[in-house]
């Protein structure tokens, strides 16, 4: 049962209202949105009239501006309708009819949830787009402090991301790994799919696990770490790597044994001379395949290095809350005794270790990181 029909309106909430205090959109952002509304209306009028006086370039430019403005104006119109609906629901809640009050309370909560979703959509539409977010990603995981327990945790993180990729319908290809059974010293994987980097970019940092190891006889909780780095997949369009800048060495692969280990020079070490970046790969039996994978990792590292340089220049005046990917940053704790996973960057916790390590609960944390990231970016525009 709906208590009221929503009518299109063009209002914003009074600055002193309850919802205005909870809104993610500041008065200055609302003012920008109203200006964008007017611009969209003017462009619509212009494009629906006689455009014979416009050349092809001018027509293309105006069409692009109209489309871009529409991505913001459309959800903003829905938001204003929700604001109006909330005002009317609040009036019903203040009425004497108990049955109506109960229904209005239910609808009010639903409307508040829709407002939050609508505001986040608007924030995402307002922010400048990073083309790297639509790309695939190179995922690097390395055991940190904690000995064998850190290596076990490194392997568990690798499997968590592999399961998460499966749930998202992405391709997960292991490019290189140094392991001994369940213990993984380091691993590099390529994750392919639409928008992979935009989702996984917040995973970069130091991940900490607190639990009683299987080998612990006294029941003491140990703390171990693993570092995660997520790099956007680079192509030759993104970053150019000249052959003259590379030094390529081949050597015999090392490992747990087998026909090809220590018998053929299949392992490859690629050194990018200008930057000093060194990449080794011995995952494949073929020297050609190892070289190709090493070059993919090198391009990704060079691309991420350039992205970080540009990001640091743009944001030198303020510390970013999320997304720097600095490895010295403790970003998340996995506490098994408390069945808790806490992301320290946003002080957000979930109590579902099994779901997290199984990949099903990871999206919940990533969604919260994305919301805070977008709010942080929006603050720089306000």
């Amino acid at each position: 049962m709906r208590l009221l029909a929503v009518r299109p309106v063009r209002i914003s909430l009074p600055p002193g209202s309850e919802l205005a205090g909870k809104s993610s959109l500041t008065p200055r952002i609302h003012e920008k949105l109203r200006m964008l509304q007017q611009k969209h209306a003017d462009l619509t009028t212009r494009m629906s009239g006689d455009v014979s006086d416009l050349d092809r370039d001018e027509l293309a430019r105006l069409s692009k501006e109209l489309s871009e403005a529409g991505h913001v104006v459309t959800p903003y119109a829905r938001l204003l309708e929700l604001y109006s609906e909330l005002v009317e629901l609040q009036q019903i809640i203040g009425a004497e009819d108990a049955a109506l009050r109960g229904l209005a309370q239910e609808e009010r909560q639903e409307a508040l949830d829709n407002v939050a979703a609508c505001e986040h959509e608007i924030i995402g539409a307002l922010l400048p787009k990073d083309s790297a977010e639509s790309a695939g990603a190179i995922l690097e995981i390395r055991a940190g402090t904690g000995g064998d327990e850190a290596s076990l945790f490194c392997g568990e993180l690798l499997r968590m991301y592999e399961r998460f990729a499966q749930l998202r319908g992405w391709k997960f290809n292991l490019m290189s790994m140094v392991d001994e059974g369940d213990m993984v010293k380091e691993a590099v994987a390529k994750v392919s799919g639409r928008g992979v980097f935009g989702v996984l970019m917040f995973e970069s940092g130091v991940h900490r696990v607190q639990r009683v190891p299987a080998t612990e006889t006294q029941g003491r909780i140990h703390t171990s770490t693993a570092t995660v780095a997520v790099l956007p997949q680079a192509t030759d369009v993104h970053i150019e790597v000249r052959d003259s800048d590379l030094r390529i060495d081949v050597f015999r692969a090392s490992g747990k044994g087998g026909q090809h280990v220590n018998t053929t020079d299949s392992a490859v070490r690629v050194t990018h001379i200008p930057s000093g970046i060194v990449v080794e790969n011995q995952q494949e039996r073929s020297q050609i395949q190892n070289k190709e994978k090493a070059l993919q990792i090198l391009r990704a590292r060079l691309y991420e290095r350039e992205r970080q340089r540009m990001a640091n220049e743009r944001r030198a005046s303020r510390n970013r809350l999320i997304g720097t990917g600095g490895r010295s940053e403790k970003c998340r704790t996995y506490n098994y005794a408390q069945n808790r996973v806490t992301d320290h960057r946003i002080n957000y916790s979930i109590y579902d270790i099994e779901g997290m390590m199984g990949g099903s609960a990871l999206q919940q944390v990533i969604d919260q990181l994305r919301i805070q990231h977008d709010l942080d970016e929006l603050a720089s525009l306000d």
Side-chain angles (χ1 to χ4, degrees), residues 292-363:
E292 181 181 347
K293 287 190 173 183
L295 288 174
Q296 287 181 1
I297 297 171
L298 173 64
R299 288 191 182 97
R301 291 183 182 176
L302 287 171
Y303 183 37
E304 177 63 7
R305 177 172 170 165
E306 180 64 15
R307 282 187 72 258
Q308 288 295 330
R309 184 190 67 79
M310 295 177 66
N312 289 337
E313 288 180 356
R314 290 195 303 266
R315 299 170 176 88
S317 61
R318 63 188 180 93
N319 295 324
R320 299 193 63 195
L321 179 63
I322 304 171
T324 61
R327 297 197 180 186
S328 61
E329 177 186 21
K330 179 184 68 177
C331 69
R332 190 176 297 154
T333 293
Y334 304 71
N335 188 300
Y336 276 69
Q338 300 176 8
N339 190 33
R340 171 179 57 83
V341 179
T342 297
D343 198 290
H344 303 286
R345 294 165 294 184
I346 54 175
N347 195 28
Y348 179 79
S349 296
I350 63 171
Y351 292 85
D352 186 9
I353 282 281
E354 182 178 353
M356 188 70 174
M357 303 313 294
S360 60
L362 179 56
Q363 187 65 56

Side-chain angles (χ1 to χ4, degrees), residues 20-264:
K22 297 179 180 179
S23 174
S24 301
L25 306 179
T26 65
R28 286 189 60 187
I29 294 298
H30 273 289
E31 182 61 31
K32 291 180 181 180
L33 289 168
R34 283 191 288 270
M35 293 173 63
L36 196 56
Q37 251 190 344
Q38 185 59 53
K39 177 181 179 181
H40 183 268
D42 294 342
L43 286 170
T44 300
T45 300
R46 180 70 177 94
M47 296 297 289
S48 61
D50 182 10
V51 294
S52 59
D53 58 324
L54 300 177
D55 59 31
R56 180 179 300 177
D57 291 342
E58 182 69 8
L59 188 60
R61 183 185 67 80
L62 291 177
S63 297
K64 182 180 179 181
E65 287 185 10
L66 180 62
S67 176
E68 291 176 347
H71 291 315
V72 180
V73 169
T74 299
Y76 187 53
R78 292 201 305 269
L79 181 66
L80 295 180
E81 291 176 1
L82 287 167
Y83 283 171
S84 178
E85 180 179 355
L86 282 166
V87 170
E88 294 186 40
L89 285 170
Q90 192 61 45
Q91 293 173 350
I92 295 174
I93 291 172
E96 295 183 358
D97 191 315
L100 283 179
R101 284 203 307 270
L103 290 171
Q105 288 282 8
E106 293 178 6
E107 289 195 14
R108 180 177 181 276
Q109 185 55 54
E110 179 183 350
L112 286 172
D113 293 340
N114 290 334
V115 164
C118 204
E119 288 186 349
H120 187 231
E121 182 181 353
I122 291 169
I123 290 170
L126 282 173
L127 294 175
K129 303 298 183 292
D130 185 346
S131 60
E133 291 192 21
S134 63
I138 300 294
L139 177 68
E140 300 183 355
I141 310 174
R142 291 179 172 81
T145 58
D148 290 347
E149 177 67 11
S151 297
L152 288 170
F153 181 51
C154 181
E156 291 171 4
L157 286 177
L158 178 65
R159 290 186 287 275
M160 177 186 78
Y161 290 121
E162 183 175 12
R163 293 178 187 128
F164 180 68
Q166 292 171 349
L167 292 172
R168 295 288 303 237
W170 298 336
K171 293 182 179 179
F172 189 95
N173 297 316
L174 191 63
M175 301 182 71
S176 67
M177 183 167 66
V178 179
D179 66 321
E180 294 181 9
D182 291 334
M183 292 186 293
V184 177
K185 297 293 184 183
E186 62 177 66
V188 180
K190 180 168 70 172
V191 189
S192 303
R194 185 174 182 179
V196 171
F197 181 70
V199 175
L200 292 180
M201 58 189 287
F202 306 113
E203 293 303 295
S204 293
V206 176
H207 295 238
R208 182 177 70 174
V209 62
Q210 295 174 326
R211 63 185 175 189
V212 179
T215 56
E216 171 58 51
T217 60
Q218 303 298 321
R220 292 172 297 186
I221 294 177
H222 288 221
T223 298
S224 306
T225 63
T227 60
V228 175
V230 180
L231 317 173
Q233 282 186 31
T235 67
D236 291 329
V237 175
H238 290 135
I239 192 80
E240 180 183 1
V241 179
R242 294 178 294 186
D243 291 342
S244 59
D245 290 338
L246 301 177
R247 184 175 70 245
I248 300 178
D249 303 308
V250 296
F251 57 96
R252 291 186 177 182
S254 61
K256 292 177 285 187
Q259 182 179 353
H260 294 271
V261 174
N262 291 323
T263 61
T264 60

